[in-house]
Amino acid sequence: MDLKTIDQTYIANTYARFPVEIVSGKGSEVFDETGKRYIDLTSGIGVTAFGVADEEWVKAVTEQLCKVQHMSNLFYTAPDAMLAQMLCERTGMKKVFFANSGAEANECAIKVARKYAAETKGADTYTILTLVNSFHGRTLATLSATGQEHYHELFQPLVPGFVHTPANDLEALKAAAKEHKLAAVMLECVQGEGGVVPLEPEFVKGAAALCKENDIVLIIDEVQTGNGRTGTLYAYQQFGIQPDLVSTAKGLGGGLPLGACLMGEKVQDVLKPGDHGSTYGGNPVACAGALNVLSRIDDQLLKEVQEKSQYLIDVFSAADGIESVTGMGLMLGLKTKKDAKEILAACREKGVLALTAKDKIRLLPALNIPMELVKEAAAVIIDACK
Ligand SMILES: *Cc1c(COP(=O)(O)O)cnc(C)c1O
């Protein structure tokens, strides 16, 4: 059997894979089994922050791998402690819980918010408000948090205690806060899976103010937008707000499974021993990789992310066949006249890999993608959109 047949026979049928097998890569260039080269604008859905097989990251990971790969959270190890310190120092958050994925980071945030609300307001205050068209993960609680009906249909009953209001509708959010006893409001600053839709700054500020006035926990889901993706370390930093909880994952580990829930002053001591945990969470190898990733997301790199973003926005905005460009930093969505899936197929043919989000083309290149590759790939996409 060839690889595609083995995969289709034995792997659960949950992914509509592109018809491409990737066998190796370097940075933002990857190669299939025939040696064909592709420029990668997917970075593993925003995970390989510095591209594939990045030398510095590989060195950091292998050094830790050869020292100790796992000890459990019953012992002290240095990489998770150092990473938590770096995350707190760069955000003003106070404590970190490490998980292994975005969904798990959100699970932690949901549990912290519920416990805080139960302790301060009583056990009947547990409802978490999220937005219509949001995406927060695939576990039952995070699926229930996700404001997209089509993900819910086959998995009833969902976890109770989630309500959804439309993005950028502050009045609807205020009305829901009166109607329900809200424990938390949870937002993505740019809805990623929902179609790369940034929230309006006034809405985000208004939601944050409402949370502050009513002692409602503000959770910002930075699983996709975090770790330099939008041109600042975290996207919320461009909205002039200070969340109580920030969940992140994807780019943080640079390619190894790692999620984190950052806790602000108000909720830093909510979790006590036994309240939450994870066998793998804060794994030393994943954290050693993340330390390398995070230490390289400095002002210079963020400036380059913003410059490449501006270049792409400019050339795509001027292109025939592209109706709109949305997003922030190197998280961009293109609304095209032609069908997005057909455009992606034409791009693959010409050696460029990109993603979709709803009916848009979604670009999530590595943060350090060289400008020559940005230009080369943009020309291919523009041509395919004509
Ligand atoms: C990808 C994503 C998640 C889920 O992350 P997993 O690592 O797949 O569990 C949650 N929230 C947002 C905003 C995401 O983009």
Side-chain angles (χ1 to χ4, degrees):
M1 278 198 269
D2 67 1
L3 180 74
K4 279 170 197 157
T5 312
I6 296 170
D7 182 299
Q8 285 161 9
T9 307
Y10 293 110
I11 289 190
N13 191 22
T14 54
Y15 304 108
R17 296 200 205 279
F18 297 127
V20 178
E21 177 196 347
I22 298 301
V23 294
S24 68
K26 200 78 201 158
S28 290
E29 292 173 291
V30 294
F31 301 92
D32 73 9
E33 78 284 11
T34 69
K36 179 174 171 180
R37 168 246 197 200
Y38 298 87
I39 301 174
D40 179 23
L41 303 182
T42 74
S43 66
I45 319 185
V47 167
T48 49
F50 288 93
V52 171
D54 170 78
E55 262 165 46
E56 271 192 52
W57 179 84
V58 167
K59 185 164 174 280
V61 164
T62 41
E63 272 176 16
Q64 183 59 43
L65 187 59
C66 296
K67 281 189 207 156
V68 52
Q69 83 275 33
H70 175 85
M71 267 311 289
S72 89
N73 283 305
L74 301 175
F75 299 90
Y76 289 97
T77 46
D80 57 337
M82 309 300 285
L83 180 61
Q85 180 183 31
M86 197 183 281
L87 284 166
C88 289
E89 284 176 356
R90 293 191 60 181
T91 57
M93 303 299 276
K94 300 297 181 197
K95 278 192 163 48
V96 181
F97 177 84
F98 286 116
N100 315 285
S101 67
E104 285 177 88
N106 283 335
E107 287 277 346
C108 176
I110 291 165
K111 285 177 74 173
V112 170
R114 279 196 172 178
K115 190 174 177 212
Y116 176 81
E119 285 176 347
T120 56
K121 296 179 175 176
D124 60 345
T125 302
Y126 54 77
T127 300
I128 296 179
L129 183 142
T130 71
L131 298 182
V132 174
N133 199 42
S134 59
F135 183 85
H136 297 296
R138 305 279 194 171
T139 62
L140 266 176
T142 59
L143 184 71
S144 308
T146 293
Q148 301 190 53
E149 292 295 325
H150 68 102
Y151 286 119
H152 293 168
E153 276 158 20
L154 302 172
F155 303 103
Q156 304 290 332
L158 297 178
V159 175
F162 290 93
V163 294
H164 316 288
T165 57
N168 300 324
D169 187 343
L170 198 55
E171 291 314 311
L173 193 150
K174 282 179 179 163
K178 283 212 179 77
E179 187 186 339
H180 304 278
K181 294 184 181 211
L182 289 189
V185 169
M186 181 161 164
L187 311 169
E188 300 156 89
C189 290
V190 184
Q191 295 185 330
E193 302 305 310
V196 198
V197 191
L199 296 183
E200 286 166 14
E202 289 318 307
F203 173 74
V204 176
K205 283 204 191 86
L210 177 102
C211 286
K212 201 166 183 196
E213 280 157 30
N214 298 283
D215 197 18
I216 295 166
V217 173
L218 177 62
I219 307 171
I220 302 295
D221 180 342
E222 296 260 9
V223 173
Q224 191 161 159
T225 53
N227 313 300
R229 177 56 51 193
T230 66
T232 47
L233 184 57
Y234 290 100
Y236 79 80
Q237 294 167 325
Q238 294 179 57
F239 288 80
I241 57 163
Q242 188 60 49
D244 300 306
L245 292 164
V246 174
S247 56
T248 191
K250 290 197 167 92
L252 179 62
L256 285 173
L258 183 63
C261 177
L262 281 55
M263 304 166 192
E265 191 144 23
K266 185 162 95 174
V267 294
Q268 62 174 319
D269 295 320
V270 169
L271 293 181
K272 299 280 189 287
D275 283 344
H276 196 45
S278 164
T279 300
Y280 288 114
N283 170 273
V285 180
C287 286
L291 265 171
N292 177 264
V293 166
L294 204 62
S295 65
R296 292 161 70 191
I297 303 176
D298 55 14
D299 290 345
Q300 179 58 34
L301 183 92
L302 291 169
K303 194 168 142 263
E304 287 168 21
V305 167
Q306 289 162 16
E307 284 164 2
K308 289 172 211 166
S309 174
Q310 197 55 54
Y311 172 83
L312 287 171
I313 291 169
D314 290 346
V315 293
F316 289 140
S317 300
D320 288 339
I322 297 177
E323 288 174 349
S324 68
V325 187
T326 55
M328 289 165 66
L330 289 177
M331 176 175 180
L332 294 175
L334 310 178
K335 178 103 187 64
T336 52
K337 292 207 177 97
K338 286 206 281 194
D339 179 65
K341 289 204 170 74
E342 279 169 32
I343 293 168
L344 286 197
C347 288
R348 279 197 303 275
E349 211 39 51
K350 296 233 169 80
V352 171
L353 302 179
L355 302 160
T356 57
K358 290 277 174 72
D359 60 347
K360 287 184 186 167
I361 290 177
R362 176 172 40 155
L363 307 178
L364 294 171
L367 304 179
N368 67 339
I369 184 172
M371 196 59 195
E372 313 87 71
L373 294 186
V374 170
K375 288 183 176 166
E376 191 184 332
V380 169
I381 293 172
I382 288 168
D383 200 44
C385 288
K386 277 183 190 151

